[in-house]
Amino acid sequence: MSNIVDKTKEYCLKIIRESNCKYLAFHNEEHTLDVLRNVRIIGEYEKISERDMEILKIAALFHDTGFSLDYSCHEESSVILANNFLKQNNYKSDKLQTVISLILATKMPQNPMCEIEKILCDSDLFHLASDNFIVKNKLLRTEWENQINLKFEDLDWLNLNIEFLQNHKYKSNFGCIKLEKDKLKNIVLLEKEIKSKYSN
């Protein structure tokens, strides 16, 4: 990794480890490092430039740091943290503006406008297609209960997630080719759980 990526990683992980983020069940250090890894995987598949890879890695590291300041508007808070840090480190203004656009593109509902925004969005929701989706999903449910007092009955939670996965579409070429089919497997898993628990 380039020097600025290394510095960004150190700075962002320090924020996460020393703030409310360390208590988050899902949006924590593990998730940030997962997204960092995912942008590398997808970015290499898409054959993006070294410049774009650097910008993507920085955006991935910053994209959830805003949870340390504001849970409900964390993307905007992440932008503030990224803007301040990167300006202090004399990061080029055009690349800084791209980092900001990338972070804001992850806001739900996602609406990425260019290739690297699509890569970050798919990296952020990579877990929807992963083998550990069920585990990750439980962590998100716990986080919502603890942080914003959002609670669901089991059946409602299952139906909510089926609807979300069905409506979601991966945006990058990698996502469409590699992730979409595995996401469908997780929809089937949720449907089977409903059938086994709630069918008479």
Side-chain angles (χ1 to χ4, degrees), residues 133-135 137-138 141 153-162 165 184-200:
F133 165 72
I134 299 298
V135 173
N137 202 34
K138 287 179 179 177
R141 183 181 183 182
E153 297 296 330
D154 290 347
L155 181 57
D156 293 336
W157 177 251
L158 290 167
N159 282 322
L160 176 72
N161 280 277
I162 289 171
L165 266 64
L184 294 176
K185 293 177 185 176
N186 287 324
I187 294 174
V188 172
L189 282 177
L190 294 173
E191 289 173 338
K192 283 183 177 178
E193 186 173 350
I194 288 179
K195 189 174 181 180
S196 66
K197 289 183 177 179
Y198 300 100
S199 294
N200 294 324

Side-chain angles (χ1 to χ4, degrees), residues 37-66:
R37 184 193 71 244
N38 297 338
V39 298
R40 179 182 55 78
I41 292 170
I42 302 177
E44 288 177 358
Y45 180 90
E46 304 285 352
K47 295 182 170 57
I48 64 170
S49 67
E50 286 187 21
R51 177 187 183 275
D52 284 347
M53 183 67 87
E54 175 191 281
I55 294 169
L56 265 170
K57 287 178 177 178
I58 290 170
L61 286 162
F62 268 111
H63 86 286
D64 279 342
T65 53

